[in-house]
Amino acid sequence: MENSINPELNSNSLNSIFNEKLPSARSIFGASWNFYFAKFKIIFNILILPTLFAVLSTLIAVYISPEKQISAEGIDITPPMSLEPAIVIIILNIINIIIQFFSTLAMWNFAYYGDEYIKSAKEAYIYAFKKWGLFIWVGVLVSFYVFGGFFLFLIPGVLFALWFSLASSIALFENVKGLEALARSREYIRGQIGVVYFRFFVLSLILFLFIAATNIITGILALINFYLSISINVFIFNLILIPLSHIQAIFLFKEIQFRRANKVLVVGEQKMKKLLIVPLVGILLLIAVITIFGRDLYNEILNYNMEYKKNYSRNY
């Protein structure tokens, strides 16, 4: 029996691929680890340069930032950062975001297609460069719905976040554009929100435990060598934890896709267009709140900055 959606799933399935029930979080986690170790060479090649730049930019930012200072009265008197280091940090962050964005897309493509279709890191990045515009556009649409929905009494934002969580994956791997990707995501999730997000929750909890353990170890190491602990922390996050989270998410998506894609053959954009009224109202409400309370908030921030400068000049 062949998989009509993605033939690569036949060799990398989670053994329950032809059952209607989604595999357990434990099965997905185990399959993700197996994939990570089996394909580590290509994963390493995809992520090593972004990781090295992340380490370098983090160390530079820490080095040029002013050292935290506390007065005898317990007041934070850390001098404000000068303009030149701030510009350097902003530029490094922008470059890092761009690099991490494309490495994430490359990692998603490799996790989805495997080395049967993607033979090298170069091919993974070629896929990423072909689809980045589509990915961003769908991400903008999802953000608009979720952001606007949150400001309309919270619940619509939560609902949109759940419905449209698969839209980016659908856009990448099914070549579906715009509102159609959001509509398909909603149909994929329909009727199984609890089942899907229970697995997301368990997988996230497992990763959280790994993150906590990493932070404890590197925190102890920081007492010996602060810069070495930062470097190790970034390496672990970028080469192990982050790619593992991507693999888990893509594997779960593949399972959902196999069970739902043939049942969601045609989904129009009309429903999504009708729902546009919800985020639009939420954003208008936000604009009204900013208009009414924005000046008072600005004055409070201004007064705080003046008070901070007085405390700093008093102590220096």
Side-chain angles (χ1 to χ4, degrees), residues 136-164:
I136 288 180
W137 174 235
V138 171
V140 168
L141 289 175
V142 172
S143 299
F144 176 76
Y145 274 92
V146 173
F147 182 77
F150 268 117
F151 283 99
L152 190 64
F153 311 116
L154 186 65
I155 294 176
V158 174
L159 194 58
F160 289 152
L162 295 174
W163 280 352
F164 306 145

Side-chain angles (χ1 to χ4, degrees), residues 122-139:
K122 179 181 178 181
E123 291 184 11
Y125 275 101
I126 289 173
Y127 272 86
F129 282 112
K130 286 180 179 178
K131 296 292 185 72
W132 70 271
L134 181 61
F135 183 88
I136 288 180
W137 174 235
V138 171

Side-chain angles (χ1 to χ4, degrees), residues 58-112:
T58 301
L59 291 176
I60 291 174
V62 171
Y63 182 77
I64 65 178
S65 297
E67 186 176 348
K68 189 175 181 64
Q69 300 177 23
I70 304 295
S71 68
E73 294 80 15
I75 300 174
D76 185 354
I77 55 172
T78 304
M81 183 180 293
S82 58
L83 180 61
E84 291 81 3
I87 292 175
V88 170
I89 291 175
I90 291 171
I91 293 173
L92 287 174
N93 284 334
I94 292 173
I95 296 173
N96 194 39
I97 289 171
I98 294 172
I99 292 174
Q100 293 296 330
F101 170 76
F102 282 105
S103 68
T104 296
L105 289 188
M107 191 63 229
W108 276 30
N109 280 295
F110 183 64
Y112 186 85

Side-chain angles (χ1 to χ4, degrees), residues 131-202:
K131 296 292 185 72
W132 70 271
L134 181 61
F135 183 88
I136 288 180
W137 174 235
V138 171
V140 168
L141 289 175
V142 172
S143 299
F144 176 76
Y145 274 92
V146 173
F147 182 77
F150 268 117
F151 283 99
L152 190 64
F153 311 116
L154 186 65
I155 294 176
V158 174
L159 194 58
F160 289 152
L162 295 174
W163 280 352
F164 306 145
S165 58
L166 302 179
S168 296
S169 298
I170 290 171
L172 281 179
F173 305 123
E174 298 183 15
N175 201 32
V176 177
K177 300 178 181 179
L179 294 176
E180 184 74 12
L182 274 65
R184 287 184 71 85
S185 177
R186 183 190 180 194
E187 294 303 313
Y188 278 18
I189 292 294
R190 186 189 295 275
Q192 53 181 357
I193 287 180
V195 173
V196 171
Y197 285 98
F198 175 76
R199 283 155 177 76
F200 270 125
F201 172 77
V202 173

